[in-house]
Amino acid sequence: MNDPHRKTREQAHSVQDLLRELFPGTHRELFGARDSDSPPTLGLYPVADGRLALVHGDQLAEFTPIEQKGKNALHCDLCHYTRSRSEALMYRVTIGARRSRYVTLCTPTEPCQGRAGARGLLAFAERIFPIEPAGPDDH
């Protein structure tokens, strides 16, 4: 059973696509940090155990929720809305050796990202990144 469309599906990937997927370091050397036709990935995504991951291009920051104390309202660092303790959480993100930053984010984060928009999310990411290597093996 020969599928006439099989070859076109197999050949749909360019050499640049294959280099990006299989050899990202070589791809960066040859074509630069990112493709000009596609913007870098930018988003805040839920991870296991209530943690969040901020992704910007090839950078990743992990936000760990911290125990809430007090009863005052919190101001979200992403969308800049004031929320009650039941609608927002404080997170710690390690940005360097023995350096952490604390941020407040709405829960859930999807509507918060919508209110902030792409510009707000980019400004938030620029406050977090670049993350310094924690040890000699981290690059």
Side-chain angles (χ1 to χ4, degrees):
M1 303 241 179
N2 289 336
D3 184 4
H5 300 289
R6 183 175 176 197
K7 278 201 183 264
T8 58
R9 274 188 260 151
E10 288 176 359
Q11 295 174 350
H13 298 288
S14 69
V15 173
Q16 189 172 353
D17 292 337
L18 292 173
L19 278 173
R20 181 185 317 109
E21 191 71 28
L22 300 173
F23 306 101
T26 303
H27 182 268
R28 274 194 285 297
E29 288 176 18
L30 295 175
F31 301 107
R34 67 179 182 103
D35 291 341
S36 59
D37 57 342
S38 66
T41 302
L42 177 62
L44 194 57
Y45 304 99
V47 190
D49 303 331
R51 292 176 287 148
L52 295 173
L54 177 64
V55 179
H56 184 227
D58 59 351
Q59 301 177 93
L60 173 72
E62 187 175 296
F63 293 76
T64 306
I66 57 176
E67 187 177 330
Q68 295 191 24
K69 296 181 181 172
K71 53 187 169 189
N72 295 338
L74 298 170
H75 181 81
C76 179
D77 291 310
L78 179 56
C79 70
H80 301 289
Y81 277 49
T82 301
R83 298 288 182 195
S84 69
R85 289 280 177 164
S86 64
E87 298 174 314
L89 285 174
M90 289 189 70
Y91 293 89
R92 175 180 34 244
V93 59
T94 303
I95 59 170
R98 300 174 58 188
R99 289 185 44 206
S100 295
R101 180 163 286 152
Y102 295 88
V103 296
T104 304
L105 296 168
C106 297
T107 55
T109 59
E110 293 85 15
C112 179
Q113 290 181 70
R115 285 188 296 273
R119 261 193 192 148
L121 195 54
L122 182 60
F124 181 73
E126 287 174 349
R127 288 182 21 209
I128 302 297
F129 297 116
I131 292 182
E132 299 170 5
D137 294 334
D138 296 338
H139 294 286

